[in-house]
Amino acid sequence: MTEASTTVRRGRPRNEQAREAILDVAMESLLAHGVAAMNMDAVAAAAGVSKATIYRWWPSKETLAMDALYRTWESAPIAPDTGSLRDDLRNLLWPWTELIARRPYGRVIAGLLGQVVTDPDFALTYRARFLDQRRDHGRMILQQAIARGEIPARTRIETVLDMLYGPVYHRLMHGHAPLDHIFIDGVVDIVLDGIHPRPDRQPRHETADSETP
Amino acid sequence: MTEASTTVRRGRPRNEQAREAILDVAMESLLAHGVAAMNMDAVAAAAGVSKATIYRWWPSKETLAMDALYRTWESAPIAPDTGSLRDDLRNLLWPWTELIARRPYGRVIAGLLGQVVTDPDFALTYRARFLDQRRDHGRMILQQAIARGEIPARTRIETVLDMLYGPVYHRLMHGHAPLDHIFIDGVVDIVLDGIHPRPDRQPRHETADSETP
């Protein structure tokens, strides 16, 4: 095998090439058929590897599906600090939404959720990859805005994160309305107007219950 | 069989009793095991009917699961017109959220979503029951508030509906944070502050793109 130091861009180690080929084929199969109908024999054949090779890295098709989806979603860029909360939140949501709106990712997530609700270990890994990491970015963006004095320190950050990601997941999973730019801008506008300090704010808002930490 | 007119409250027709027994047993099984693991033989035995009886009414376990879930969720009351948008929205969301937060309904939905994403006919029925009906209530509440002058006529109603229901579904499906009263009040507060007219509103908000009808 060639030296990694000289071939890092032109030729990847064979293991790495096989992994990438498997993940590519798996993602196409998932988008076309969903997790339940994904066939490991077909993935192995299309990727040019043995089924034993796949099972050496992924103990189940759900774990392979999770890795394939993760690699795709992580390609959506995040630019965390423009100095404007509105721009930061749009940058957080839009590239990812644009990516998932193009293909039937809802089908893939639905299949993985079936495993999430029956397998607690899988659920932990799934949430760490698909929820926690994106929530961490969003939380950082909101905390920067608090530090700049752009939004109040009492802002319910966890609730706000659900109000940014929840509507996107809702349309992705249920398919009742389009995941377009107008929708994302509307979500960001309503959230921002909802948490900005307001001169006409009623006292009841000022004393709203704080979140559980 | 007794006459329906005289027995409507004390004794239901036998068919109706069998239907209710099947739906009760199915719901318990769904909450305990999920759709994938629901066993029609076990449901028939526990409900005291033959499997043929079940299949006469429900062609698949997914359709039985959908009816069982629908009957349970529809028991969450909605009081649509208190004259206050905040109270109307809390009444819309809280009884339903309280119901679904008590048991593992996320498991049932995950199983049904697997069918939604592979079966377009099932998806239509599913959305009509679980999404459209609740969205219709929410839309009516928002339109009443517009008619009262409580919120602007330009309010992006479809986006607002996703910002009310999306966060609840998000926590239900992914289980990353509690579905409690503080959360629901926070969602309603942020949405209301986000769509209320504001004296300090920037011009860019006034000219925001309208939704596709």
Side-chain angles (χ1 to χ4, degrees), chain A residues 86 107 117 126-127 131 135 156 162-163 167 169-171 174 176 182 186 190-191 193-194 196 198-201 204-205, chain B residues 86 117 126-127 131 135 156 162-163 167 169-171 174 176 182 186-187 190-191 193-194 196 198-201 204-205:
Chain A
R86 189 178 307 271
R107 169 183 290 176
V117 294
Y126 176 91
R127 278 204 297 262
L131 262 64
R135 287 177 81 87
R156 296 175 183 184
D162 286 306
M163 298 185 69
Y169 270 100
H170 193 42
R171 289 198 173 188
H174 290 98
H176 55 283
I182 291 173
I190 292 170
V191 162
D193 284 345
H196 266 80
R198 296 171 45 156
D200 62 330
R201 190 177 272 269
R204 62 192 292 187
H205 301 257
Chain B
R86 189 179 307 272
V117 294
Y126 176 91
R127 278 204 296 263
L131 263 64
R135 286 177 81 87
R156 295 174 183 185
D162 285 306
M163 297 186 70
Y169 270 101
H170 193 40
R171 289 199 174 187
H174 290 96
H176 54 285
I182 293 174
V187 168
I190 292 171
V191 162
D193 285 345
H196 266 81
R198 296 170 47 154
D200 62 329
R201 191 179 272 269
R204 61 192 294 187
H205 301 257

Short mmCIF file of all heavy atoms in Angstrom, two decimals, chain A residues 86 107 117 126-127 131 135 156 162-163 167 169-171 174 176 182 186 190-191 193-194 196 198-201 204-205, chain B residues 86 117 126-127 131 135 156 162-163 167 169-171 174 176 182 186-187 190-191 193-194 196 198-201 204-205:
data_model
loop_
_atom_site.label_atom_id
_atom_site.label_comp_id
_atom_site.label_asym_id
_atom_site.label_seq_id
_atom_site.Cartn_x
_atom_site.Cartn_y
_atom_site.Cartn_z
N ARG A 86 -29.35 37.16 13.02
CA ARG A 86 -30.22 36.75 11.91
C ARG A 86 -29.42 36.01 10.82
O ARG A 86 -29.80 34.94 10.37
CB ARG A 86 -30.93 37.97 11.31
CG ARG A 86 -32.01 37.62 10.28
CD ARG A 86 -32.73 38.87 9.76
NE ARG A 86 -33.24 39.70 10.82
CZ ARG A 86 -34.44 39.57 11.36
NH1 ARG A 86 -35.26 38.63 10.94
NH2 ARG A 86 -34.82 40.37 12.34
N ARG A 107 -37.48 9.82 4.23
CA ARG A 107 -37.57 8.35 4.19
C ARG A 107 -36.45 7.69 5.01
O ARG A 107 -36.66 6.71 5.71
CB ARG A 107 -37.51 7.91 2.73
CG ARG A 107 -37.33 6.45 2.51
CD ARG A 107 -37.20 6.13 1.04
NE ARG A 107 -38.46 6.31 0.35
CZ ARG A 107 -38.63 6.18 -0.96
NH1 ARG A 107 -37.60 5.85 -1.72
NH2 ARG A 107 -39.81 6.34 -1.52
N VAL A 117 -36.27 4.32 18.44
CA VAL A 117 -37.29 4.10 19.48
C VAL A 117 -37.27 2.68 20.05
O VAL A 117 -37.97 2.41 21.02
CB VAL A 117 -38.71 4.43 18.97
CG1 VAL A 117 -38.83 5.91 18.67
CG2 VAL A 117 -39.08 3.59 17.75
N TYR A 126 -27.35 8.17 17.63
CA TYR A 126 -28.12 8.92 16.65
C TYR A 126 -28.28 10.39 17.09
O TYR A 126 -28.05 11.32 16.33
CB TYR A 126 -29.49 8.26 16.47
CG TYR A 126 -30.41 9.01 15.55
CD1 TYR A 126 -30.44 8.72 14.19
CD2 TYR A 126 -31.24 10.02 16.02
CE1 TYR A 126 -31.28 9.41 13.34
CE2 TYR A 126 -32.07 10.72 15.19
CZ TYR A 126 -32.10 10.41 13.84
OH TYR A 126 -32.92 11.10 13.01
N ARG A 127 -28.70 10.58 18.34
CA ARG A 127 -28.91 11.95 18.83
C ARG A 127 -27.59 12.72 18.88
O ARG A 127 -27.56 13.90 18.55
CB ARG A 127 -29.55 11.92 20.22
CG ARG A 127 -31.05 11.74 20.15
CD ARG A 127 -31.72 12.29 21.41
NE ARG A 127 -31.29 11.57 22.59
CZ ARG A 127 -31.99 10.59 23.15
NH1 ARG A 127 -33.16 10.24 22.65
NH2 ARG A 127 -31.56 9.98 24.23
N LEU A 131 -28.61 15.38 16.27
CA LEU A 131 -29.24 16.47 16.99
C LEU A 131 -28.22 17.29 17.77
O LEU A 131 -28.09 18.49 17.55
CB LEU A 131 -30.31 15.92 17.96
CG LEU A 131 -31.73 15.99 17.42
CD1 LEU A 131 -31.89 15.11 16.20
CD2 LEU A 131 -32.73 15.64 18.48
N ARG A 135 -27.42 21.23 17.46
CA ARG A 135 -27.88 22.07 18.57
C ARG A 135 -26.71 22.80 19.21
O ARG A 135 -26.84 23.96 19.62
CB ARG A 135 -28.62 21.25 19.62
CG ARG A 135 -30.00 20.79 19.16
CD ARG A 135 -30.66 19.91 20.22
NE ARG A 135 -31.28 20.67 21.29
CZ ARG A 135 -32.51 21.15 21.23
NH1 ARG A 135 -33.26 20.95 20.18
NH2 ARG A 135 -33.01 21.83 22.25
N ARG A 156 -34.79 31.69 26.31
CA ARG A 156 -34.92 30.25 26.53
C ARG A 156 -34.25 29.49 25.39
O ARG A 156 -34.89 29.09 24.42
CB ARG A 156 -36.39 29.87 26.58
CG ARG A 156 -37.13 30.48 27.76
CD ARG A 156 -38.60 30.16 27.66
NE ARG A 156 -39.34 30.79 28.74
CZ ARG A 156 -40.64 30.62 28.94
NH1 ARG A 156 -41.34 29.85 28.14
NH2 ARG A 156 -41.24 31.23 29.93
N ASP A 162 -35.42 24.24 19.56
CA ASP A 162 -36.52 23.39 19.06
C ASP A 162 -37.40 24.13 18.08
O ASP A 162 -38.00 23.52 17.19
CB ASP A 162 -37.37 22.88 20.24
CG ASP A 162 -36.66 21.80 21.01
OD1 ASP A 162 -36.25 20.81 20.39
OD2 ASP A 162 -36.49 21.95 22.23
N MET A 163 -37.50 25.47 18.24
CA MET A 163 -38.34 26.26 17.34
C MET A 163 -37.64 26.54 16.01
O MET A 163 -38.28 26.94 15.05
CB MET A 163 -38.77 27.55 18.01
CG MET A 163 -39.61 27.23 19.24
SD MET A 163 -40.29 28.69 20.01
CE MET A 163 -41.48 29.17 18.76
N PRO A 167 -39.55 22.85 13.26
CA PRO A 167 -40.35 23.08 12.05
C PRO A 167 -39.72 22.46 10.80
O PRO A 167 -40.43 21.97 9.92
CB PRO A 167 -40.39 24.61 11.96
CG PRO A 167 -40.23 25.08 13.36
CD PRO A 167 -39.27 24.11 13.99
N TYR A 169 -37.66 19.72 10.68
CA TYR A 169 -37.91 18.28 10.78
C TYR A 169 -39.37 17.95 10.50
O TYR A 169 -39.69 16.95 9.88
CB TYR A 169 -37.53 17.76 12.17
CG TYR A 169 -36.10 17.30 12.29
CD1 TYR A 169 -35.14 18.11 12.86
CD2 TYR A 169 -35.71 16.04 11.83
CE1 TYR A 169 -33.82 17.69 12.98
CE2 TYR A 169 -34.40 15.61 11.94
CZ TYR A 169 -33.45 16.43 12.52
OH TYR A 169 -32.16 16.01 12.63
N HIS A 170 -40.27 18.80 10.99
CA HIS A 170 -41.71 18.55 10.83
C HIS A 170 -42.07 18.47 9.35
O HIS A 170 -42.72 17.53 8.90
CB HIS A 170 -42.47 19.66 11.53
CG HIS A 170 -43.93 19.39 11.71
ND1 HIS A 170 -44.44 18.17 12.10
CD2 HIS A 170 -45.02 20.21 11.56
CE1 HIS A 170 -45.76 18.24 12.17
NE2 HIS A 170 -46.13 19.47 11.85
N ARG A 171 -41.63 19.47 8.57
CA ARG A 171 -41.93 19.43 7.12
C ARG A 171 -41.18 18.30 6.42
O ARG A 171 -41.70 17.68 5.49
CB ARG A 171 -41.59 20.79 6.48
CG ARG A 171 -42.56 21.89 6.90
CD ARG A 171 -42.51 23.09 5.95
NE ARG A 171 -43.58 24.04 6.32
CZ ARG A 171 -43.91 25.11 5.62
NH1 ARG A 171 -43.26 25.40 4.51
NH2 ARG A 171 -44.89 25.90 6.02
N HIS A 174 -43.11 14.91 7.48
CA HIS A 174 -44.52 14.77 7.13
C HIS A 174 -44.85 15.23 5.72
O HIS A 174 -45.90 14.89 5.19
CB HIS A 174 -45.40 15.48 8.16
CG HIS A 174 -45.40 14.79 9.50
ND1 HIS A 174 -44.61 15.20 10.54
CD2 HIS A 174 -46.08 13.71 9.95
CE1 HIS A 174 -44.81 14.40 11.58
NE2 HIS A 174 -45.69 13.49 11.26
N HIS A 176 -45.89 17.95 4.37
CA HIS A 176 -47.16 18.66 4.14
C HIS A 176 -46.96 20.02 3.49
O HIS A 176 -47.93 20.63 3.05
CB HIS A 176 -47.92 18.81 5.47
CG HIS A 176 -47.10 19.48 6.53
ND1 HIS A 176 -46.13 18.80 7.23
CD2 HIS A 176 -47.08 20.74 7.00
CE1 HIS A 176 -45.57 19.63 8.10
NE2 HIS A 176 -46.11 20.81 7.97
N ILE A 182 -38.18 30.75 1.69
CA ILE A 182 -39.18 31.62 2.32
C ILE A 182 -39.57 31.07 3.69
O ILE A 182 -39.72 31.81 4.66
CB ILE A 182 -40.43 31.74 1.40
CG1 ILE A 182 -40.05 32.53 0.14
CG2 ILE A 182 -41.58 32.42 2.13
CD1 ILE A 182 -41.16 32.56 -0.90
N GLY A 186 -38.89 32.85 7.27
CA GLY A 186 -40.04 33.10 8.14
C GLY A 186 -39.81 32.56 9.54
O GLY A 186 -40.11 33.23 10.54
N ILE A 190 -39.62 35.03 12.82
CA ILE A 190 -40.56 34.92 13.94
C ILE A 190 -39.81 34.62 15.23
O ILE A 190 -40.09 35.21 16.28
CB ILE A 190 -41.63 33.84 13.64
CG1 ILE A 190 -42.54 34.33 12.50
CG2 ILE A 190 -42.46 33.54 14.89
CD1 ILE A 190 -43.49 33.27 11.96
N VAL A 191 -38.82 33.73 15.18
CA VAL A 191 -38.03 33.45 16.38
C VAL A 191 -37.32 34.72 16.86
O VAL A 191 -37.35 35.05 18.04
CB VAL A 191 -37.01 32.32 16.13
CG1 VAL A 191 -35.92 32.32 17.18
CG2 VAL A 191 -37.71 30.97 16.11
N ASP A 193 -38.00 37.97 16.25
CA ASP A 193 -38.92 38.95 16.80
C ASP A 193 -39.46 38.47 18.15
O ASP A 193 -39.76 39.26 19.03
CB ASP A 193 -40.08 39.20 15.83
CG ASP A 193 -39.62 40.09 14.66
OD1 ASP A 193 -38.55 40.70 14.77
OD2 ASP A 193 -40.35 40.15 13.66
N GLY A 194 -39.57 37.14 18.29
CA GLY A 194 -40.11 36.58 19.54
C GLY A 194 -39.17 36.70 20.72
O GLY A 194 -39.62 36.73 21.86
N HIS A 196 -36.41 39.07 20.79
CA HIS A 196 -35.80 40.38 20.95
C HIS A 196 -36.47 41.16 22.09
O HIS A 196 -37.65 40.99 22.32
CB HIS A 196 -35.94 41.19 19.65
CG HIS A 196 -34.75 41.06 18.77
ND1 HIS A 196 -34.55 39.98 17.96
CD2 HIS A 196 -33.66 41.87 18.58
CE1 HIS A 196 -33.42 40.13 17.29
NE2 HIS A 196 -32.85 41.26 17.65
N ARG A 198 -38.48 44.02 23.69
CA ARG A 198 -39.51 44.86 23.07
C ARG A 198 -39.90 45.97 24.03
O ARG A 198 -40.22 45.72 25.18
CB ARG A 198 -40.76 44.02 22.76
CG ARG A 198 -40.53 42.95 21.75
CD ARG A 198 -41.75 42.08 21.69
NE ARG A 198 -42.96 42.88 21.66
CZ ARG A 198 -44.10 42.46 21.17
NH1 ARG A 198 -44.21 41.24 20.68
NH2 ARG A 198 -45.16 43.23 21.17
N PRO A 199 -39.99 47.18 23.53
CA PRO A 199 -40.43 48.29 24.38
C PRO A 199 -41.88 48.07 24.86
O PRO A 199 -42.24 48.53 25.95
CB PRO A 199 -40.34 49.51 23.48
CG PRO A 199 -39.75 49.06 22.19
CD PRO A 199 -39.70 47.59 22.16
N ASP A 200 -42.70 47.40 24.06
CA ASP A 200 -44.11 47.24 24.43
C ASP A 200 -44.35 45.91 25.15
O ASP A 200 -45.47 45.46 25.27
CB ASP A 200 -44.99 47.30 23.18
CG ASP A 200 -44.67 46.16 22.21
OD1 ASP A 200 -43.50 45.74 22.19
OD2 ASP A 200 -45.58 45.71 21.50
N ARG A 201 -43.28 45.27 25.60
CA ARG A 201 -43.41 43.96 26.22
C ARG A 201 -44.25 44.03 27.51
O ARG A 201 -44.07 44.94 28.31
CB ARG A 201 -42.01 43.44 26.55
CG ARG A 201 -41.96 42.01 26.97
CD ARG A 201 -40.51 41.65 27.19
NE ARG A 201 -39.89 41.21 25.95
CZ ARG A 201 -39.88 39.93 25.58
NH1 ARG A 201 -40.41 39.00 26.34
NH2 ARG A 201 -39.30 39.59 24.46
N ARG A 204 -45.74 40.18 32.13
CA ARG A 204 -45.80 38.72 32.29
C ARG A 204 -44.69 38.02 31.52
O ARG A 204 -44.24 36.96 31.88
CB ARG A 204 -47.16 38.19 31.83
CG ARG A 204 -47.45 38.46 30.37
CD ARG A 204 -48.90 38.18 30.04
NE ARG A 204 -49.21 36.77 30.13
CZ ARG A 204 -50.37 36.27 29.76
NH1 ARG A 204 -51.32 37.04 29.30
NH2 ARG A 204 -50.60 34.98 29.86
N HIS A 205 -44.25 38.64 30.41
CA HIS A 205 -43.17 38.03 29.65
C HIS A 205 -41.85 38.12 30.38
O HIS A 205 -41.02 37.25 30.30
CB HIS A 205 -43.02 38.71 28.29
CG HIS A 205 -44.26 38.63 27.48
ND1 HIS A 205 -44.40 37.76 26.44
CD2 HIS A 205 -45.42 39.30 27.59
CE1 HIS A 205 -45.62 37.91 25.93
NE2 HIS A 205 -46.24 38.84 26.60
N ARG B 86 -53.35 33.87 23.01
CA ARG B 86 -52.44 33.11 23.86
C ARG B 86 -53.16 31.93 24.51
O ARG B 86 -52.67 30.80 24.49
CB ARG B 86 -51.83 34.03 24.93
CG ARG B 86 -50.70 33.37 25.73
CD ARG B 86 -50.11 34.33 26.78
NE ARG B 86 -49.72 35.60 26.19
CZ ARG B 86 -48.52 35.84 25.65
NH1 ARG B 86 -47.61 34.90 25.65
NH2 ARG B 86 -48.26 37.02 25.13
N VAL B 117 -43.75 7.05 4.45
CA VAL B 117 -42.75 7.38 3.44
C VAL B 117 -42.66 6.34 2.33
O VAL B 117 -41.96 6.55 1.34
CB VAL B 117 -41.35 7.59 4.07
CG1 VAL B 117 -41.35 8.82 4.96
CG2 VAL B 117 -40.90 6.36 4.84
N TYR B 126 -52.98 9.43 6.62
CA TYR B 126 -52.25 9.77 7.84
C TYR B 126 -52.22 11.28 8.06
O TYR B 126 -52.54 11.78 9.14
CB TYR B 126 -50.82 9.20 7.75
CG TYR B 126 -49.95 9.58 8.92
CD1 TYR B 126 -49.88 8.76 10.04
CD2 TYR B 126 -49.21 10.75 8.91
CE1 TYR B 126 -49.08 9.10 11.11
CE2 TYR B 126 -48.41 11.10 9.99
CZ TYR B 126 -48.35 10.28 11.08
OH TYR B 126 -47.57 10.64 12.14
N ARG B 127 -51.84 12.02 7.01
CA ARG B 127 -51.76 13.47 7.14
C ARG B 127 -53.13 14.09 7.39
O ARG B 127 -53.26 15.04 8.17
CB ARG B 127 -51.13 14.10 5.89
CG ARG B 127 -49.62 14.03 5.90
CD ARG B 127 -49.02 15.12 5.01
NE ARG B 127 -49.38 14.95 3.62
CZ ARG B 127 -48.60 14.35 2.72
NH1 ARG B 127 -47.42 13.89 3.07
NH2 ARG B 127 -48.99 14.23 1.48
N LEU B 131 -52.30 15.49 10.91
CA LEU B 131 -51.77 16.84 10.70
C LEU B 131 -52.88 17.82 10.32
O LEU B 131 -53.10 18.81 11.00
CB LEU B 131 -50.68 16.84 9.62
CG LEU B 131 -49.25 16.76 10.15
CD1 LEU B 131 -49.00 15.47 10.88
CD2 LEU B 131 -48.25 17.01 9.06
N ARG B 135 -54.02 21.15 12.25
CA ARG B 135 -53.64 22.42 11.61
C ARG B 135 -54.88 23.26 11.30
O ARG B 135 -54.85 24.48 11.40
CB ARG B 135 -52.86 22.18 10.32
CG ARG B 135 -51.44 21.70 10.57
CD ARG B 135 -50.72 21.40 9.27
NE ARG B 135 -50.18 22.59 8.62
CZ ARG B 135 -48.99 23.10 8.88
NH1 ARG B 135 -48.22 22.56 9.78
NH2 ARG B 135 -48.56 24.17 8.23
N ARG B 156 -47.74 34.97 8.75
CA ARG B 156 -47.49 33.77 7.94
C ARG B 156 -48.08 32.55 8.65
O ARG B 156 -47.40 31.83 9.39
CB ARG B 156 -46.00 33.57 7.76
CG ARG B 156 -45.33 34.67 6.97
CD ARG B 156 -43.82 34.45 6.98
NE ARG B 156 -43.16 35.54 6.28
CZ ARG B 156 -41.86 35.56 6.05
NH1 ARG B 156 -41.09 34.57 6.45
NH2 ARG B 156 -41.32 36.57 5.41
N ASP B 162 -46.33 25.47 11.75
CA ASP B 162 -45.16 24.57 11.87
C ASP B 162 -44.33 24.91 13.10
O ASP B 162 -43.68 24.05 13.67
CB ASP B 162 -44.29 24.68 10.61
CG ASP B 162 -44.92 23.97 9.43
OD1 ASP B 162 -45.24 22.79 9.58
OD2 ASP B 162 -45.13 24.60 8.39
N MET B 163 -44.36 26.19 13.50
CA MET B 163 -43.57 26.59 14.67
C MET B 163 -44.28 26.23 15.97
O MET B 163 -43.66 26.26 17.04
CB MET B 163 -43.27 28.08 14.61
CG MET B 163 -42.41 28.39 13.38
SD MET B 163 -41.88 30.08 13.34
CE MET B 163 -40.72 30.09 14.70
N PRO B 167 -42.00 21.92 16.97
CA PRO B 167 -41.20 21.68 18.17
C PRO B 167 -41.75 20.55 19.04
O PRO B 167 -40.97 19.80 19.64
CB PRO B 167 -41.28 23.03 18.92
CG PRO B 167 -41.50 24.04 17.83
CD PRO B 167 -42.40 23.34 16.84
N TYR B 169 -43.55 17.85 17.97
CA TYR B 169 -43.19 16.60 17.28
C TYR B 169 -41.70 16.31 17.43
O TYR B 169 -41.27 15.17 17.58
CB TYR B 169 -43.55 16.68 15.79
CG TYR B 169 -44.93 16.19 15.45
CD1 TYR B 169 -45.97 17.08 15.25
CD2 TYR B 169 -45.20 14.83 15.35
CE1 TYR B 169 -47.25 16.63 14.93
CE2 TYR B 169 -46.47 14.38 15.03
CZ TYR B 169 -47.48 15.28 14.83
OH TYR B 169 -48.75 14.83 14.53
N HIS B 170 -40.89 17.37 17.34
CA HIS B 170 -39.44 17.20 17.41
C HIS B 170 -39.03 16.54 18.73
O HIS B 170 -38.29 15.56 18.76
CB HIS B 170 -38.78 18.57 17.26
CG HIS B 170 -37.31 18.54 17.01
ND1 HIS B 170 -36.71 17.63 16.18
CD2 HIS B 170 -36.29 19.32 17.50
CE1 HIS B 170 -35.40 17.84 16.16
NE2 HIS B 170 -35.12 18.86 16.96
N ARG B 171 -39.55 17.07 19.85
CA ARG B 171 -39.22 16.46 21.15
C ARG B 171 -39.86 15.08 21.30
O ARG B 171 -39.27 14.18 21.90
CB ARG B 171 -39.66 17.38 22.30
CG ARG B 171 -38.80 18.63 22.41
CD ARG B 171 -38.91 19.32 23.77
NE ARG B 171 -37.95 20.43 23.85
CZ ARG B 171 -37.71 21.14 24.94
NH1 ARG B 171 -38.37 20.87 26.06
NH2 ARG B 171 -36.82 22.11 24.92
N HIS B 174 -37.65 12.63 18.96
CA HIS B 174 -36.23 12.47 19.24
C HIS B 174 -35.92 12.32 20.72
O HIS B 174 -34.83 11.87 21.07
CB HIS B 174 -35.44 13.63 18.63
CG HIS B 174 -35.40 13.58 17.12
ND1 HIS B 174 -36.25 14.29 16.33
CD2 HIS B 174 -34.62 12.86 16.27
CE1 HIS B 174 -35.99 14.04 15.05
NE2 HIS B 174 -35.01 13.17 14.99
N HIS B 176 -35.07 14.30 23.11
CA HIS B 176 -33.88 14.95 23.63
C HIS B 176 -34.18 15.90 24.79
O HIS B 176 -33.26 16.35 25.47
CB HIS B 176 -33.15 15.72 22.52
CG HIS B 176 -34.04 16.69 21.81
ND1 HIS B 176 -34.99 16.28 20.89
CD2 HIS B 176 -34.16 18.03 21.89
CE1 HIS B 176 -35.63 17.36 20.44
NE2 HIS B 176 -35.15 18.41 21.03
N ILE B 182 -43.81 24.09 30.75
CA ILE B 182 -42.90 25.23 30.57
C ILE B 182 -42.49 25.34 29.09
O ILE B 182 -42.43 26.43 28.53
CB ILE B 182 -41.66 25.05 31.47
CG1 ILE B 182 -42.07 25.17 32.94
CG2 ILE B 182 -40.58 26.08 31.13
CD1 ILE B 182 -40.94 24.87 33.91
N GLY B 186 -43.40 28.38 26.59
CA GLY B 186 -42.29 29.07 25.93
C GLY B 186 -42.50 29.16 24.43
O GLY B 186 -42.28 30.21 23.82
N VAL B 187 -42.94 28.06 23.83
CA VAL B 187 -43.21 28.05 22.38
C VAL B 187 -44.28 29.07 22.04
O VAL B 187 -44.12 29.89 21.11
CB VAL B 187 -43.63 26.63 21.93
CG1 VAL B 187 -44.19 26.66 20.51
CG2 VAL B 187 -42.44 25.66 22.01
N ILE B 190 -42.97 32.74 22.48
CA ILE B 190 -42.03 33.19 21.44
C ILE B 190 -42.78 33.41 20.12
O ILE B 190 -42.57 34.40 19.43
CB ILE B 190 -40.86 32.20 21.28
CG1 ILE B 190 -39.99 32.23 22.54
CG2 ILE B 190 -40.03 32.53 20.04
CD1 ILE B 190 -38.92 31.15 22.59
N VAL B 191 -43.70 32.50 19.79
CA VAL B 191 -44.48 32.68 18.56
C VAL B 191 -45.30 33.96 18.65
O VAL B 191 -45.32 34.78 17.71
CB VAL B 191 -45.39 31.46 18.31
CG1 VAL B 191 -46.50 31.82 17.32
CG2 VAL B 191 -44.57 30.29 17.77
N ASP B 193 -44.91 36.72 20.57
CA ASP B 193 -44.07 37.92 20.49
C ASP B 193 -43.52 38.09 19.09
O ASP B 193 -43.32 39.21 18.62
CB ASP B 193 -42.93 37.84 21.51
CG ASP B 193 -43.43 38.10 22.93
OD1 ASP B 193 -44.56 38.60 23.07
OD2 ASP B 193 -42.69 37.80 23.89
N GLY B 194 -43.29 36.94 18.40
CA GLY B 194 -42.73 37.00 17.05
C GLY B 194 -43.70 37.52 16.01
O GLY B 194 -43.28 38.06 14.99
N HIS B 196 -46.65 39.46 16.88
CA HIS B 196 -47.37 40.67 17.28
C HIS B 196 -46.78 41.89 16.59
O HIS B 196 -45.58 41.94 16.34
CB HIS B 196 -47.26 40.86 18.80
CG HIS B 196 -48.43 40.28 19.52
ND1 HIS B 196 -48.51 38.94 19.82
CD2 HIS B 196 -49.56 40.83 20.00
CE1 HIS B 196 -49.64 38.71 20.46
NE2 HIS B 196 -50.31 39.84 20.58
N ARG B 198 -45.05 45.32 16.41
CA ARG B 198 -44.09 45.92 17.34
C ARG B 198 -43.80 47.35 16.94
O ARG B 198 -43.50 47.62 15.79
CB ARG B 198 -42.77 45.14 17.30
CG ARG B 198 -42.87 43.74 17.77
CD ARG B 198 -41.58 43.02 17.45
NE ARG B 198 -40.45 43.84 17.85
CZ ARG B 198 -39.27 43.33 18.16
NH1 ARG B 198 -39.06 42.03 18.12
NH2 ARG B 198 -38.28 44.12 18.50
N PRO B 199 -43.82 48.25 17.90
CA PRO B 199 -43.50 49.65 17.58
C PRO B 199 -42.07 49.80 17.08
O PRO B 199 -41.77 50.69 16.28
CB PRO B 199 -43.66 50.38 18.91
CG PRO B 199 -44.17 49.39 19.89
CD PRO B 199 -44.12 48.03 19.31
N ASP B 200 -41.15 48.92 17.52
CA ASP B 200 -39.75 49.06 17.13
C ASP B 200 -39.39 48.17 15.93
O ASP B 200 -38.24 47.91 15.66
CB ASP B 200 -38.84 48.66 18.30
CG ASP B 200 -39.04 47.21 18.71
OD1 ASP B 200 -40.19 46.72 18.55
OD2 ASP B 200 -38.09 46.57 19.17
N ARG B 201 -40.41 47.70 15.25
CA ARG B 201 -40.20 46.77 14.13
C ARG B 201 -39.39 47.45 13.01
O ARG B 201 -39.65 48.59 12.65
CB ARG B 201 -41.56 46.31 13.61
CG ARG B 201 -41.52 45.18 12.65
CD ARG B 201 -42.94 44.84 12.27
NE ARG B 201 -43.49 43.87 13.19
CZ ARG B 201 -43.41 42.56 13.00
NH1 ARG B 201 -42.82 42.09 11.92
NH2 ARG B 201 -43.94 41.73 13.85
N ARG B 204 -37.69 46.02 7.21
CA ARG B 204 -37.52 44.78 6.46
C ARG B 204 -38.55 43.73 6.86
O ARG B 204 -38.91 42.87 6.08
CB ARG B 204 -36.11 44.22 6.67
CG ARG B 204 -35.79 43.89 8.12
CD ARG B 204 -34.31 43.62 8.33
NE ARG B 204 -33.88 42.42 7.65
CZ ARG B 204 -32.69 41.91 7.78
NH1 ARG B 204 -31.80 42.49 8.56
NH2 ARG B 204 -32.34 40.81 7.14
N HIS B 205 -39.02 43.78 8.12
CA HIS B 205 -40.03 42.81 8.55
C HIS B 205 -41.38 43.11 7.91
O HIS B 205 -42.14 42.23 7.62
CB HIS B 205 -40.19 42.84 10.07
CG HIS B 205 -38.92 42.52 10.77
ND1 HIS B 205 -38.68 41.30 11.34
CD2 HIS B 205 -37.81 43.27 10.95
CE1 HIS B 205 -37.46 41.32 11.87
NE2 HIS B 205 -36.92 42.49 11.65
#
